[in-house]
Amino acid sequence: MGQAGAALERVTIPTLARYKSEGRPIVMTTAYDAVAARIADPMVDMLLVGDSVGNVCLGFDNTLPVSMAMMTHHLDAVMRTGPRALVVADMPFLSYHLSPEDTVRNAGAFLQRGAAAVKLEGGAGRVDLVRRLVDCEIPVMGHLGLTPQSVHRMGGFKVQGRDGAAAHALLDDAYALQEAGCFSLVLEGIPADLAARVTEILDIPTIGIGAGPDCSGQVLVFHDILGLLDSHRAKFVRTYIEGFDLLRAALGRWAEDVRSGDFPGEGESYRLPEAAHAVVAGWVPKGMAEQDEEA
Ligand code: KIV
């Protein structure tokens, strides 16, 4: 059973810390628009306006083409719904790579538009940046493991941290991000036992995606949960309805109804008042009416 119906509390960063200390799993999904935000908000603790909007909704092969302008467009749509879940906005590629000033300006713009936090990808190399953002009162969620903006360095979307050295480096990165002030970490595409160890050594909550059951919480892309994509599904995805097929079948029924003349019916149409029928029936183009009078 979901949360709907219960008195829903507004989720804040201290709420998430409390959930971790209580062992209460944290639930996050993506939202890129107002419809998804309204559907998901009562069911989850966090809404991520993810740069995955690039490949999920905008037709790109990966997240690299996603810009600040695209992200703010989608963040604004989500914020207009007034969500009670905590909204995290993803920092897109090149929005935190050029200079600390540029990073603060971009992250700050997300907070000014209503997000409560930003997420950025990378480990020890981001520590100074995270400190700078946290100093500016901008809460930061880290993201380690399979970081989609590193698709070319990784040689594809591949599980990370699979040997001792890589696992050790990831533990170092996770600890460094926590010490720099991250309030939470996404762990994506890493072995479950490594994610469990990260979760154990950190005080801050970990949110897993393809990282096994022992994280402090889980995130899945909204469209994956609802089966809205007709593309390859990763092993870690669990789909609860075949949305793509169901929606296509529904649209097919509507198209059939239009073609058969069944749609729109009387109940789906507006009618003129009786008195206006004669006016409408007697209408002729202006010039023609004058010609009729002359003749
Ligand atoms: O953009 C995104 O959807 C993400 C999640 C996969 C964590 O970063």
Side-chain angles (χ1 to χ4, degrees):
M1 203 172 83
Q3 284 189 283
L8 294 175
E9 63 176 328
R10 181 163 288 277
V11 181
T12 64
I13 286 166
T15 317
L16 300 170
R18 173 161 59 81
Y19 285 4
K20 170 151 185 173
S21 70
E22 292 171 355
R24 174 171 167 172
I26 297 166
V27 184
M28 177 163 91
T29 189
T30 55
Y32 315 122
D33 59 31
V35 174
R38 284 202 183 94
I39 294 171
D41 183 52
M43 301 297 163
V44 302
D45 305 308
M46 281 191 278
L47 291 171
L48 172 66
V49 185
D51 63 349
S52 52
V53 67
N55 42 294
V56 173
C57 292
L58 303 180
F60 297 119
D61 288 339
N62 56 49
T63 56
L64 298 178
V66 176
S67 64
M68 276 300 292
M70 292 176 198
M71 288 303 298
T72 52
H73 176 75
H74 291 279
L75 173 62
D76 288 349
V78 168
M79 292 318 306
R80 279 183 210 113
T81 68
R84 33 76 46 202
L86 185 129
V87 175
V88 179
D90 232 348
M91 300 288 290
F93 183 57
L94 291 188
S95 70
Y96 56 103
H97 307 74
L98 305 183
S99 72
E101 288 71 26
D102 196 44
T103 305
V104 170
R105 195 175 305 111
N106 287 329
F110 284 157
L111 260 67
Q112 286 178 325
R113 302 180 104 90
V118 301
K119 176 168 82 57
L120 54 82
E121 299 181 7
R126 304 281 180 242
V127 157
D128 288 343
L129 218 46
V130 171
R131 279 212 187 91
R132 180 79 179 257
L133 291 169
V134 172
D135 271 354
C136 296
E137 308 300 339
I138 299 173
V140 182
M141 173 179 265
H143 186 160
L144 290 175
L146 192 174
T147 45
Q149 292 172 15
S150 317
V151 56
H152 296 306
R153 176 178 56 72
M154 295 182 304
F157 297 105
K158 295 181 179 161
V159 175
Q160 302 293 302
R162 290 194 109 156
D163 59 41
H168 192 282
L170 193 137
L171 286 162
D172 285 345
D173 283 345
Y175 191 75
L177 287 173
Q178 168 177 280
E179 295 309 291
C182 280
F183 73 94
S184 175
L185 282 191
V186 166
L187 300 175
E188 178 166 358
I190 64 170
D193 22 19
L194 175 58
R197 180 70 180 135
V198 174
T199 306
E200 183 184 53
I201 62 164
L202 296 188
D203 297 323
I204 59 174
T206 58
I207 310 297
I209 173 163
D214 295 318
C215 297
S216 322
Q218 297 289 328
V219 54
L220 277 184
V221 166
F222 179 87
H223 294 63
D224 281 334
I225 300 169
L226 301 180
L228 292 172
L229 305 175
D230 64 340
S231 48
H232 163 77
R233 277 181 202 159
K235 170 185 162 80
F236 58 76
V237 166
R238 190 180 288 180
T239 296
Y240 288 80
I241 55 164
E242 293 301 333
F244 186 92
D245 296 338
L246 288 168
L247 295 186
R248 180 172 273 178
L251 275 166
R253 293 209 313 274
W254 175 71
E256 244 170 59
D257 286 352
V258 171
R259 293 187 181 114
S260 71
D262 187 60
F263 178 87
E266 197 50 39
E268 290 136 344
S269 306
Y270 304 99
R271 290 284 171 194
L272 280 171
E274 200 55 45
H277 283 177
V279 178
V280 170
W283 180 90
V284 287
K286 217 169 180 201
M288 254 164 89
E290 280 151 16
Q291 277 172 21
D292 285 353
E293 271 165 30
E294 281 164 21

